[in-house]
Short mmCIF file of all heavy atoms in Angstrom, two decimals:
data_model
loop_
_atom_site.label_atom_id
_atom_site.label_comp_id
_atom_site.label_asym_id
_atom_site.label_seq_id
_atom_site.Cartn_x
_atom_site.Cartn_y
_atom_site.Cartn_z
N LEU A 1 -33.99 -9.44 -77.46
CA LEU A 1 -33.80 -10.78 -76.91
C LEU A 1 -33.78 -11.82 -78.03
O LEU A 1 -34.55 -11.73 -79.00
CB LEU A 1 -34.90 -11.12 -75.91
CG LEU A 1 -35.07 -10.15 -74.74
CD1 LEU A 1 -36.08 -10.72 -73.74
CD2 LEU A 1 -33.75 -9.86 -74.06
N ALA A 2 -32.90 -12.80 -77.91
CA ALA A 2 -32.75 -13.85 -78.92
C ALA A 2 -33.53 -15.08 -78.49
O ALA A 2 -32.96 -16.11 -78.12
CB ALA A 2 -31.28 -14.18 -79.13
N VAL A 3 -34.85 -14.97 -78.52
CA VAL A 3 -35.70 -16.06 -78.01
C VAL A 3 -36.53 -16.70 -79.12
O VAL A 3 -37.48 -17.43 -78.84
CB VAL A 3 -36.63 -15.54 -76.89
CG1 VAL A 3 -35.83 -15.17 -75.67
CG2 VAL A 3 -37.46 -14.36 -77.37
N ASP A 4 -36.14 -16.45 -80.37
CA ASP A 4 -36.92 -16.99 -81.48
C ASP A 4 -36.19 -18.13 -82.19
O ASP A 4 -36.56 -18.53 -83.28
CB ASP A 4 -37.25 -15.88 -82.49
CG ASP A 4 -36.02 -15.09 -82.92
OD1 ASP A 4 -34.91 -15.40 -82.40
OD2 ASP A 4 -36.16 -14.19 -83.76
N GLY A 5 -35.15 -18.66 -81.57
CA GLY A 5 -34.39 -19.76 -82.15
C GLY A 5 -34.14 -20.86 -81.13
O GLY A 5 -35.06 -21.31 -80.44
N ASP A 6 -32.88 -21.26 -81.01
CA ASP A 6 -32.53 -22.35 -80.09
C ASP A 6 -32.54 -21.93 -78.63
O ASP A 6 -32.69 -22.77 -77.74
CB ASP A 6 -31.14 -22.90 -80.43
CG ASP A 6 -31.09 -23.58 -81.78
OD1 ASP A 6 -32.16 -24.05 -82.24
OD2 ASP A 6 -30.00 -23.63 -82.38
N TYR A 7 -32.37 -20.64 -78.38
CA TYR A 7 -32.23 -20.18 -77.00
C TYR A 7 -33.57 -19.81 -76.41
O TYR A 7 -34.54 -19.51 -77.12
CB TYR A 7 -31.30 -18.97 -76.95
CG TYR A 7 -29.90 -19.25 -77.42
CD1 TYR A 7 -29.25 -18.38 -78.30
CD2 TYR A 7 -29.20 -20.38 -77.01
CE1 TYR A 7 -27.96 -18.61 -78.74
CE2 TYR A 7 -27.91 -20.63 -77.45
CZ TYR A 7 -27.30 -19.75 -78.32
OH TYR A 7 -26.02 -19.99 -78.75
N ALA A 8 -33.62 -19.81 -75.07
CA ALA A 8 -34.83 -19.44 -74.34
C ALA A 8 -34.42 -18.82 -73.01
O ALA A 8 -33.28 -18.99 -72.55
CB ALA A 8 -35.71 -20.66 -74.11
N ILE A 9 -35.34 -18.11 -72.39
CA ILE A 9 -35.13 -17.60 -71.03
C ILE A 9 -35.40 -18.76 -70.08
O ILE A 9 -36.49 -19.34 -70.09
CB ILE A 9 -36.08 -16.43 -70.75
CG1 ILE A 9 -35.86 -15.30 -71.77
CG2 ILE A 9 -35.89 -15.92 -69.32
CD1 ILE A 9 -36.95 -14.24 -71.75
N GLU A 10 -34.39 -19.09 -69.27
CA GLU A 10 -34.52 -20.30 -68.45
C GLU A 10 -33.70 -20.18 -67.17
O GLU A 10 -32.57 -19.68 -67.20
CB GLU A 10 -34.06 -21.51 -69.25
CG GLU A 10 -34.26 -22.84 -68.55
CD GLU A 10 -33.96 -24.03 -69.44
OE1 GLU A 10 -33.23 -23.87 -70.44
OE2 GLU A 10 -34.46 -25.13 -69.14
N GLY A 11 -34.25 -20.64 -66.07
CA GLY A 11 -33.51 -20.72 -64.82
C GLY A 11 -32.69 -21.99 -64.76
O GLY A 11 -33.17 -23.07 -65.12
N VAL A 12 -31.44 -21.87 -64.31
CA VAL A 12 -30.53 -23.01 -64.21
C VAL A 12 -29.72 -22.88 -62.93
O VAL A 12 -29.36 -21.77 -62.51
CB VAL A 12 -29.56 -23.07 -65.42
CG1 VAL A 12 -28.69 -24.33 -65.33
CG2 VAL A 12 -30.32 -23.07 -66.74
N SER A 13 -29.40 -24.02 -62.31
CA SER A 13 -28.61 -24.00 -61.09
C SER A 13 -27.68 -25.20 -61.01
O SER A 13 -28.07 -26.32 -61.38
CB SER A 13 -29.52 -24.01 -59.86
OG SER A 13 -28.75 -24.11 -58.66
N VAL A 14 -26.44 -24.96 -60.54
CA VAL A 14 -25.58 -26.05 -60.11
C VAL A 14 -25.22 -25.86 -58.63
O VAL A 14 -24.21 -26.34 -58.15
CB VAL A 14 -24.29 -26.16 -60.97
CG1 VAL A 14 -24.60 -26.55 -62.38
CG2 VAL A 14 -23.49 -24.86 -60.91
N GLY A 15 -26.08 -25.15 -57.93
CA GLY A 15 -25.88 -24.86 -56.51
C GLY A 15 -26.46 -23.51 -56.14
O GLY A 15 -26.96 -23.33 -55.04
N GLU A 16 -26.38 -22.55 -57.06
CA GLU A 16 -27.03 -21.26 -56.93
C GLU A 16 -27.77 -20.97 -58.23
O GLU A 16 -27.17 -21.05 -59.31
CB GLU A 16 -26.01 -20.14 -56.65
CG GLU A 16 -25.37 -20.18 -55.28
CD GLU A 16 -26.33 -19.80 -54.15
OE1 GLU A 16 -27.37 -19.18 -54.43
OE2 GLU A 16 -26.01 -20.14 -52.99
N PRO A 17 -29.06 -20.65 -58.19
CA PRO A 17 -29.83 -20.46 -59.42
C PRO A 17 -29.59 -19.10 -60.07
O PRO A 17 -29.42 -18.09 -59.38
CB PRO A 17 -31.29 -20.57 -58.96
CG PRO A 17 -31.25 -21.05 -57.55
CD PRO A 17 -29.93 -20.63 -57.00
N PHE A 18 -29.59 -19.10 -61.40
CA PHE A 18 -29.49 -17.88 -62.19
C PHE A 18 -30.51 -17.97 -63.33
O PHE A 18 -30.74 -19.05 -63.88
CB PHE A 18 -28.09 -17.70 -62.77
CG PHE A 18 -27.03 -17.48 -61.73
CD1 PHE A 18 -26.39 -18.56 -61.13
CD2 PHE A 18 -26.69 -16.20 -61.32
CE1 PHE A 18 -25.42 -18.37 -60.17
CE2 PHE A 18 -25.72 -16.00 -60.35
CZ PHE A 18 -25.09 -17.09 -59.77
N LEU A 19 -31.06 -16.82 -63.69
CA LEU A 19 -31.96 -16.76 -64.83
C LEU A 19 -31.12 -16.39 -66.05
O LEU A 19 -30.55 -15.30 -66.12
CB LEU A 19 -33.06 -15.72 -64.61
CG LEU A 19 -34.12 -15.64 -65.70
CD1 LEU A 19 -34.90 -16.95 -65.79
CD2 LEU A 19 -35.06 -14.47 -65.46
N ILE A 20 -31.04 -17.30 -67.00
CA ILE A 20 -30.22 -17.09 -68.20
C ILE A 20 -31.08 -16.46 -69.29
O ILE A 20 -32.14 -16.98 -69.64
CB ILE A 20 -29.59 -18.41 -68.66
CG1 ILE A 20 -28.64 -18.92 -67.56
CG2 ILE A 20 -28.84 -18.23 -69.97
CD1 ILE A 20 -27.94 -20.21 -67.87
N ILE A 21 -30.59 -15.33 -69.81
CA ILE A 21 -31.36 -14.54 -70.77
C ILE A 21 -30.50 -14.33 -72.02
O ILE A 21 -29.45 -13.69 -71.95
CB ILE A 21 -31.75 -13.16 -70.19
CG1 ILE A 21 -32.54 -13.35 -68.88
CG2 ILE A 21 -32.57 -12.36 -71.19
CD1 ILE A 21 -32.80 -12.05 -68.13
N PRO A 22 -30.93 -14.86 -73.18
CA PRO A 22 -30.17 -14.65 -74.42
C PRO A 22 -30.46 -13.27 -75.02
O PRO A 22 -31.62 -12.87 -75.14
CB PRO A 22 -30.68 -15.77 -75.33
CG PRO A 22 -32.07 -16.04 -74.85
CD PRO A 22 -32.09 -15.75 -73.37
N VAL A 23 -29.40 -12.57 -75.38
CA VAL A 23 -29.51 -11.23 -75.96
C VAL A 23 -28.98 -11.29 -77.40
O VAL A 23 -28.00 -11.97 -77.68
CB VAL A 23 -28.74 -10.20 -75.12
CG1 VAL A 23 -28.78 -8.82 -75.75
CG2 VAL A 23 -29.32 -10.15 -73.70
N ARG A 24 -29.65 -10.57 -78.30
CA ARG A 24 -29.39 -10.73 -79.72
C ARG A 24 -28.01 -10.23 -80.16
O ARG A 24 -27.43 -10.76 -81.11
CB ARG A 24 -30.48 -10.02 -80.52
CG ARG A 24 -30.54 -10.42 -81.99
CD ARG A 24 -31.76 -9.86 -82.66
NE ARG A 24 -33.00 -10.33 -82.06
CZ ARG A 24 -33.54 -11.54 -82.29
NH1 ARG A 24 -32.91 -12.39 -83.08
NH2 ARG A 24 -34.68 -11.87 -81.71
N SER A 25 -27.47 -9.21 -79.50
CA SER A 25 -26.20 -8.63 -79.96
C SER A 25 -25.39 -8.15 -78.77
O SER A 25 -25.92 -7.87 -77.70
CB SER A 25 -26.46 -7.47 -80.92
OG SER A 25 -27.05 -6.38 -80.22
N ILE A 26 -24.09 -8.01 -79.00
CA ILE A 26 -23.21 -7.46 -77.97
C ILE A 26 -23.55 -5.99 -77.72
O ILE A 26 -23.45 -5.49 -76.59
CB ILE A 26 -21.74 -7.65 -78.37
CG1 ILE A 26 -21.40 -9.15 -78.31
CG2 ILE A 26 -20.80 -6.87 -77.46
CD1 ILE A 26 -20.02 -9.51 -78.80
N GLU A 27 -24.00 -5.31 -78.76
CA GLU A 27 -24.40 -3.91 -78.60
C GLU A 27 -25.58 -3.81 -77.63
O GLU A 27 -25.59 -2.96 -76.72
CB GLU A 27 -24.77 -3.32 -79.96
CG GLU A 27 -25.17 -1.86 -79.95
CD GLU A 27 -26.66 -1.64 -79.65
OE1 GLU A 27 -27.47 -2.53 -79.96
OE2 GLU A 27 -26.98 -0.58 -79.08
N ALA A 28 -26.57 -4.68 -77.80
CA ALA A 28 -27.72 -4.68 -76.88
C ALA A 28 -27.29 -5.10 -75.48
O ALA A 28 -27.77 -4.55 -74.48
CB ALA A 28 -28.81 -5.61 -77.41
N LEU A 29 -26.39 -6.04 -75.40
CA LEU A 29 -25.87 -6.47 -74.10
C LEU A 29 -25.28 -5.28 -73.35
O LEU A 29 -25.48 -5.12 -72.14
CB LEU A 29 -24.82 -7.56 -74.30
CG LEU A 29 -24.32 -8.30 -73.06
CD1 LEU A 29 -25.37 -9.26 -72.54
CD2 LEU A 29 -23.04 -9.04 -73.37
N GLY A 30 -24.58 -4.43 -74.06
CA GLY A 30 -23.97 -3.26 -73.44
C GLY A 30 -24.97 -2.24 -72.95
O GLY A 30 -24.67 -1.46 -72.03
N ARG A 31 -26.17 -2.24 -73.52
CA ARG A 31 -27.21 -1.29 -73.10
C ARG A 31 -28.03 -1.79 -71.92
O ARG A 31 -28.82 -1.04 -71.34
CB ARG A 31 -28.17 -1.02 -74.27
CG ARG A 31 -27.57 -0.18 -75.37
CD ARG A 31 -28.64 0.27 -76.38
NE ARG A 31 -28.96 -0.78 -77.34
CZ ARG A 31 -30.10 -1.45 -77.41
NH1 ARG A 31 -31.07 -1.21 -76.52
NH2 ARG A 31 -30.30 -2.36 -78.33
N ALA A 32 -27.88 -3.04 -71.55
CA ALA A 32 -28.71 -3.63 -70.49
C ALA A 32 -28.45 -2.96 -69.14
O ALA A 32 -27.31 -2.66 -68.78
CB ALA A 32 -28.45 -5.12 -70.39
N ARG A 33 -29.51 -2.69 -68.41
CA ARG A 33 -29.46 -2.16 -67.05
C ARG A 33 -30.60 -2.81 -66.28
O ARG A 33 -31.68 -3.05 -66.82
CB ARG A 33 -29.65 -0.64 -67.02
CG ARG A 33 -28.64 0.16 -67.83
CD ARG A 33 -27.27 0.17 -67.17
NE ARG A 33 -26.35 1.06 -67.88
CZ ARG A 33 -25.62 0.70 -68.94
NH1 ARG A 33 -25.73 -0.53 -69.43
NH2 ARG A 33 -24.79 1.56 -69.51
N ILE A 34 -30.39 -3.07 -65.01
CA ILE A 34 -31.47 -3.63 -64.19
C ILE A 34 -32.46 -2.52 -63.83
O ILE A 34 -32.07 -1.47 -63.28
CB ILE A 34 -30.93 -4.29 -62.91
CG1 ILE A 34 -30.29 -5.63 -63.24
CG2 ILE A 34 -32.05 -4.51 -61.88
CD1 ILE A 34 -31.27 -6.71 -63.65
N ASN A 35 -33.71 -2.75 -64.14
CA ASN A 35 -34.81 -1.90 -63.68
C ASN A 35 -35.26 -2.47 -62.34
O ASN A 35 -36.01 -3.45 -62.30
CB ASN A 35 -35.94 -1.91 -64.71
CG ASN A 35 -37.13 -1.05 -64.30
OD1 ASN A 35 -37.42 -0.89 -63.11
ND2 ASN A 35 -37.84 -0.52 -65.29
N LEU A 36 -34.76 -1.89 -61.25
CA LEU A 36 -34.99 -2.49 -59.94
C LEU A 36 -36.47 -2.56 -59.57
O LEU A 36 -36.92 -3.52 -58.94
CB LEU A 36 -34.22 -1.72 -58.86
CG LEU A 36 -32.73 -2.04 -58.77
CD1 LEU A 36 -32.05 -1.14 -57.77
CD2 LEU A 36 -32.51 -3.51 -58.41
N GLN A 37 -37.24 -1.56 -59.97
CA GLN A 37 -38.67 -1.59 -59.66
C GLN A 37 -39.35 -2.76 -60.36
O GLN A 37 -40.14 -3.48 -59.75
CB GLN A 37 -39.32 -0.27 -60.06
CG GLN A 37 -40.80 -0.19 -59.70
CD GLN A 37 -41.40 1.17 -60.02
OE1 GLN A 37 -40.71 2.05 -60.52
NE2 GLN A 37 -42.68 1.33 -59.75
N LYS A 38 -39.00 -2.97 -61.64
CA LYS A 38 -39.59 -4.09 -62.37
C LYS A 38 -39.07 -5.42 -61.84
O LYS A 38 -39.81 -6.40 -61.74
CB LYS A 38 -39.27 -3.94 -63.86
CG LYS A 38 -40.07 -4.87 -64.76
CD LYS A 38 -41.53 -4.48 -64.79
CE LYS A 38 -42.32 -5.38 -65.71
NZ LYS A 38 -43.77 -5.02 -65.74
N TRP A 39 -37.78 -5.45 -61.48
CA TRP A 39 -37.20 -6.67 -60.91
C TRP A 39 -37.90 -7.04 -59.60
O TRP A 39 -38.20 -8.21 -59.35
CB TRP A 39 -35.71 -6.46 -60.67
CG TRP A 39 -35.01 -7.62 -60.01
CD1 TRP A 39 -34.49 -8.72 -60.61
CD2 TRP A 39 -34.79 -7.79 -58.60
NE1 TRP A 39 -33.95 -9.57 -59.68
CE2 TRP A 39 -34.13 -9.01 -58.44
CE3 TRP A 39 -35.08 -7.02 -57.48
CZ2 TRP A 39 -33.75 -9.49 -57.18
CZ3 TRP A 39 -34.71 -7.49 -56.24
CH2 TRP A 39 -34.05 -8.71 -56.09
N GLU A 40 -38.19 -6.03 -58.77
CA GLU A 40 -38.85 -6.27 -57.49
C GLU A 40 -40.20 -6.96 -57.68
O GLU A 40 -40.56 -7.87 -56.93
CB GLU A 40 -39.06 -4.95 -56.74
CG GLU A 40 -37.79 -4.33 -56.17
CD GLU A 40 -37.43 -4.90 -54.81
OE1 GLU A 40 -38.22 -5.71 -54.28
OE2 GLU A 40 -36.37 -4.53 -54.29
N THR A 41 -40.96 -6.53 -58.66
CA THR A 41 -42.32 -7.05 -58.85
C THR A 41 -42.35 -8.30 -59.71
O THR A 41 -43.37 -8.98 -59.76
CB THR A 41 -43.22 -5.99 -59.50
OG1 THR A 41 -42.66 -5.59 -60.76
CG2 THR A 41 -43.33 -4.76 -58.61
N THR A 42 -41.22 -8.63 -60.34
CA THR A 42 -41.21 -9.75 -61.28
C THR A 42 -40.37 -10.93 -60.81
O THR A 42 -40.81 -12.07 -60.83
CB THR A 42 -40.68 -9.28 -62.66
OG1 THR A 42 -41.47 -8.20 -63.11
CG2 THR A 42 -40.72 -10.41 -63.68
N LEU A 43 -39.13 -10.66 -60.35
CA LEU A 43 -38.18 -11.74 -60.07
C LEU A 43 -37.82 -11.91 -58.60
O LEU A 43 -37.42 -13.00 -58.20
CB LEU A 43 -36.89 -11.52 -60.87
CG LEU A 43 -37.01 -11.63 -62.40
CD1 LEU A 43 -35.67 -11.38 -63.05
CD2 LEU A 43 -37.56 -13.00 -62.80
N ARG A 44 -37.93 -10.87 -57.79
CA ARG A 44 -37.56 -11.03 -56.38
C ARG A 44 -38.37 -12.16 -55.75
O ARG A 44 -39.59 -12.23 -55.88
CB ARG A 44 -37.79 -9.75 -55.59
CG ARG A 44 -37.43 -9.93 -54.09
CD ARG A 44 -37.68 -8.70 -53.27
NE ARG A 44 -36.62 -7.71 -53.36
CZ ARG A 44 -35.47 -7.78 -52.70
NH1 ARG A 44 -35.20 -8.82 -51.92
NH2 ARG A 44 -34.57 -6.83 -52.82
N GLY A 45 -37.67 -13.04 -55.07
CA GLY A 45 -38.33 -14.17 -54.41
C GLY A 45 -38.58 -15.35 -55.31
O GLY A 45 -39.04 -16.40 -54.84
N SER A 46 -38.28 -15.23 -56.60
CA SER A 46 -38.48 -16.36 -57.51
C SER A 46 -37.31 -17.33 -57.39
O SER A 46 -36.29 -17.03 -56.77
CB SER A 46 -38.61 -15.86 -58.95
OG SER A 46 -37.40 -15.29 -59.40
#
């Protein structure tokens, strides 16, 4: 995650909210997968 500079993990909405997550490289972006169990306990309902 690229959270040590200008970017941060932040929720933003212009009508529907999304959690914006900065990733350090396109290679890492390609490896991303949703861990549904972790998502359920962390983000569902947020």
Side-chain angles (χ1 to χ4, degrees):
L1 303 188
V3 292
D4 51 359
D6 293 336
Y7 298 134
I9 302 167
E10 185 173 22
V12 184
S13 175
V14 294
E16 290 289 342
F18 295 87
L19 185 64
I20 297 180
I21 304 172
V23 177
R24 196 171 299 281
S25 68
I26 291 175
E27 182 274 332
L29 189 73
R31 288 191 280 111
R33 302 288 186 275
I34 285 290
N35 179 329
L36 281 175
Q37 183 176 0
K38 193 69 179 179
W39 177 86
E40 287 276 356
T41 59
T42 304
L43 293 179
R44 178 182 279 281
S46 66

